[in-house]
Amino acid sequence: MPGDGELRRKLFSPFLTDLYENKIIYFERFLSIVTLADIENTPEKFTATAIPYLNIEKPEGGRSGFMKEPWNFGAAWPYMRLSGDHFGTYSMWLIWTDKELVKTVEELARKKDWEFAYELTAYKR
């Protein structure tokens, strides 16, 4: 359900400007750490290019459907929602921007501790 776009822009914008090495955790059909480029923050919408950096395998196995090439994502501010420690759009993508969480999940992914990385993010939702 859409909300006040200008209010949501004021609330979410700070989370998009103070990032760990311009990295975020991105979840849609897969979980990855991506580097953001071409971030656009206008009164109407947020958009960015996600550049794959580090993929996180599903602990239970199966196809993860990782993106190999950069892709664009975003949404109009009225459709953005905050949920706990992450935000995103209704039924599309979710992102985590907290510097310490991104660092921790990056370390876990490098150690191939997929289960704990998912527990801190996608499974915690």
Side-chain angles (χ1 to χ4, degrees):
M1 128 171 73
D4 181 334
E6 186 56 33
L7 175 63
R8 290 178 188 211
R9 180 180 188 222
K10 287 178 186 175
L11 292 172
F12 293 126
S13 291
F15 295 106
L16 298 165
T17 56
D18 188 27
L19 304 172
Y20 168 64
E21 298 178 353
N22 238 34
K23 297 175 194 167
I24 62 165
I25 301 164
Y26 181 95
F27 178 73
E28 195 168 344
R29 298 173 312 274
F30 56 90
L31 185 64
S32 289
I33 296 175
V34 300
T35 303
L36 293 186
D38 306 321
I39 299 169
E40 187 178 333
N41 180 347
T42 70
E44 295 79 30
K45 65 183 179 177
F46 154 75
T47 59
T49 300
I51 302 167
Y53 174 70
L54 194 55
N55 294 320
I56 300 165
E57 299 286 340
K58 289 183 179 176
E60 66 274 5
R63 294 184 50 100
S64 296
F66 298 122
M67 301 291 278
K68 294 181 177 144
E69 300 294 325
W71 70 94
N72 296 322
F73 74 102
W77 290 113
Y79 294 93
M80 298 282 282
R81 68 181 181 88
L82 178 65
S83 181
D85 61 350
H86 61 281
F87 63 94
T89 60
Y90 293 95
S91 303
M92 292 185 66
W93 50 263
L94 303 172
I95 60 175
W96 289 259
T97 62
D98 179 77
K99 287 180 178 185
E100 292 306 313
L101 181 63
V102 173
K103 285 181 199 177
T104 299
V105 171
E106 180 177 357
E107 290 170 14
L108 291 168
R110 290 192 184 287
K111 295 177 187 174
K112 299 186 190 286
D113 189 346
W114 315 126
E115 188 168 350
F116 195 36
Y118 260 84
E119 285 175 12
L120 290 175
T121 56
Y123 289 165
K124 185 178 173 184
R125 309 182 280 141

